[in-house]
Amino acid sequence: MAGRKLPGISVPHRKHTAEKIPRRLPVPPMVCIPVSMHIGAPARPVVQVGDTVKVGQLIAEADGAMSSPVYSGVSGKVKKIDDLLMSAGQRVPAVVIETDGEQAGSGAFTAPCVSDFATFIGAVRQSGVVGLGGAGFPTAVKLDVADLSKLETIIVNGAECEPYITSDTRTMIDDAESVRGGVMLLREYMKAKDIVIAVEKNKPRCIKIFSEMFRDDGHVRVAALPAVYPQGAEKVLIYNTTGRLVPEGGLPIDIGVIVINCTTLAAIEKYIRTGTPLYEKCVTVDGSAVASPGNVIVPIGTPLRDVFAFCGGFSERPGKVLYGGPMMGIAVPDLEQTVLKNTNAVLALSAREAEPPEETACIRCGRCMARCPLRLSPAEIESAYRRNRPDELEALRVGLCMECGCCAYVCPANRHLVQTNKLSKALLRSYRAVKPAVKEESA
Amino acid sequence: MSRMIVSVSPHIRDKTTTAVIMRDVLIALFPALIAAILVFGWRSLLVTAVCVVSCMTGEWAFEKLTGRPNTVGDLSAAVTGVLLAYSLPAGIPVWQAVLGSLVAIAVVKQLFGGIGRNFANPAVTARIVMLLAFSETMTAWVIPDAVSGATPLAVLKGGDLQNLPGLLQMLLGVRGGCLGETGALALLAGGAYLLIRRVISWHTPAAFAGTVLLLTFLLGKQPVYQLMSGGLLLGAFFMATDYSTTPMTNSGRLIFGVGCGLITVLIRVWGNYPEGVSFSILMMNILTPYIARFTRQRPLGGAKL
């Protein structure tokens, strides 16, 4: 194992819900399921207004390879197909279903026939599974490696380094058998010889489960990693377990590695074993404004207000509500937003905690540079961005930034460094788009 | 339904702010103030208070006049005041201390854009200005009764080495010199506090002190006394580690420290002045952007595809 580890930061763990066994949310009166919960082309709705749907029924089919099908987690009637404004700002069609509470169809699935790599990938595509760690990258695309001999290591990501979130922890405890089954599928169909289950040391129970489970398996090893944020970030995890670096603009497979989240793997196994597609999610509900935090299994498309209400509602007025953890999570504008495929937690922060701290002048302390896992120089990137110098941004390799937020977290001046890095990337993209034209003109 | 705050991640922040860092520096400087009062009397406290009040008032007034946001609360002006006071003799006239403080804050810091923008250390530069402008009072050392009538550096420069204070006196600061620079133990304790609190990294002070020790050892110039003389400890732990005016990377900080040590020894051994710490730090401040350019940390990300 690589001796040298990338820098990171100590963040408060706040894993209050690690021992909370997931409870099932009573069927909400209405769900609103957007057809784009993944990176790539939105799925195409295949139901009409007025149609009756069952649990597990396909409601939108994948539109091309870089897409993912969407299934209903409830039974009921399609009320409308709405145009939904998502938290990232894009508008996508969303299937709104009025539930009947019957949950007809659940459990009545047929397992797909998987016999080789091609049928395995086909099944993964049909399962509707996307990167459940938060990225939402279609898993079938990730696993569909052109040349399997190039694949050396598969890392099962159970690091779960974000504060609060424990849904992966619960997968590893409650669905350990599914993770085992998933590992076996990877062994059989991906011909993976080296599988690493990577877990942070603050989850000793999970480490123990897998260490015992794979004690006699020469191809599977458990990596107990220090609880240093962002241990679970793909590039960091790959470096800390294999010592390899993902090139700028490249994918892990370019260096022979695939990283798959443990809950993603369990979802694939569940589909291949039972035919149950991805239509519900276990989400951690926590945050200073939540009355009784816990883990909740909810149909995808459930409005956040129903999820919070199930957890005792709010103990105080929430100032900010997040999809995901406090380091990389996305703030949502209102509680009508719904649980998506890649939602692993919903947090409600108190108004006091949500108040953005005052931004002061950069004092050039260098903390942002010292703590960047990829050794970028956020202070210099900010300076180059403010001077509108995309050429300098290119030299500073801002494109490598994974927006983990370590720089902004430690900044004593509370500079908006992640925001500036995002803007810098956009500036660099437009510069690169224009650059060839400039060259031609001058030629 | 009340509106929710929407902002870019991260949504939690470390509690350490600029003011917390500056407060730590002030705490670290406190033992040296006790030493100064014990060695040079209550006038040390008066000079320190005058400089702190002048710096903070100067910053407030400058920002008021120029319509900039008030930054007195970040305590950086207070740190400048203490550092300037510590590099003055205890007998300095009050009006000169006030003038020096205003040069530090208004000219060296605020005219270049305020905290984080100035390229030269305000306290160091103001001290040099005062040394040139008020050379008489700036070298009128208050000598504690227990030791002979010259500063250790003057003795090292050409005097009779018999007149050097004892090592214990050096450690306690019972010697001639600027009011806050003599208490070696007090400054080391403060430096250790800053290192433990991770306000500074070890690179600059270690490189600075190490270079001075090594060179003066090779030149046969009493390395241990050199280390504890003049403003070396104050400079190495508190001035050469100033964020705005020194490199941000550890490799840059090593180069900065070695440069400071080298220039200090050159001035002390061959220059006209007995002391060279302030000059060395100012010189290296000027070189900082170039050091930064050549010591930028290399991003990890393999070759670009």
Side-chain angles (χ1 to χ4, degrees), chain B residues 157 215-216 218-221 226 262-275:
Chain B
K157 190 104 193 174
L215 290 178
T216 51
L218 293 175
L219 294 166
K221 296 280 181 188
Q226 292 283 0
L262 190 68
I263 298 170
T264 299
V265 172
L266 286 177
I267 294 175
R268 280 187 182 183
V269 177
W270 288 292
N272 280 330
Y273 285 93
E275 174 58 314

Side-chain angles (χ1 to χ4, degrees), chain A residues 343-357:
Chain A
T343 307
N344 47 16
V346 289
L347 306 179
L349 307 180
S350 68
R352 192 179 49 80
E353 211 182 339
E355 201 56 50

Side-chain angles (χ1 to χ4, degrees), chain A residues 26 62 96 98 126 159 212 298 346 355 381:
Chain A
V96 179
E98 207 170 50
Q126 278 309 308
E212 284 171 7
V298 303
V346 289
E355 201 56 50
I381 290 170

Side-chain angles (χ1 to χ4, degrees), chain A residues 6 246-248 250 254 317-322 326-329 331-334 354 357 361-365 367 369 373-377 380 396-397 400 405 408-409 412 414-416 418-419 422, chain B residues 1-19 21-22 115-117 197-199 243-250 253 288 292 296-305:
Chain A
L6 297 181
V246 181
E248 183 175 354
D254 298 329
R317 194 179 74 77
K320 199 188 252 184
V321 171
L322 306 175
M327 290 303 293
M328 289 189 76
V332 300
D334 56 57
C362 170
I363 56 172
R364 295 173 41 86
C365 64
R367 281 170 170 76
M369 295 153 72
L374 299 179
R375 311 196 63 198
L376 296 169
S377 303
E380 303 215 29
L396 288 162
R397 308 282 294 274
L400 282 170
Y409 181 85
N414 293 315
R415 311 281 315 160
H416 304 313
V418 173
Q419 189 168 329
K422 282 173 182 270
Chain B
M1 178 65 241
S2 57
R3 294 222 158 215
M4 238 95 69
I5 295 172
V6 175
S7 63
V8 172
S9 60
H11 306 284
I12 51 173
R13 302 272 194 159
D14 188 50
K15 298 268 183 288
T16 306
T17 60
T18 304
I21 292 170
M22 295 302 161
I115 187 167
R117 303 286 183 116
R197 295 278 295 161
R198 292 173 173 235
V199 170
Y243 292 144
S244 304
T245 58
T246 66
M248 285 191 274
T249 58
N250 289 336
R253 286 167 181 160
T288 291
R296 187 172 279 164
Q297 65 179 2
R298 245 187 53 218
L300 288 175
K304 196 157 36 178
L305 283 185

Side-chain angles (χ1 to χ4, degrees), chain A residues 77-92:
Chain A
K77 191 174 269 184
V78 177
K79 208 176 145 206
K80 56 180 173 179
I81 295 178
D82 221 357
D83 215 22
L84 185 73
L85 180 63
M86 307 263 291
S87 56
Q90 78 281 33
R91 284 190 173 277
V92 296

Side-chain angles (χ1 to χ4, degrees), chain A residues 52 90 146 159 180 216 268 270 301 323-324 366 377 383 388 427 437:
Chain A
T52 312
Q90 78 281 33
R180 184 222 289 266
D216 303 317
I268 291 171
K270 203 174 165 194
Y323 280 138
S377 303
S383 157
N388 199 25
L427 179 65

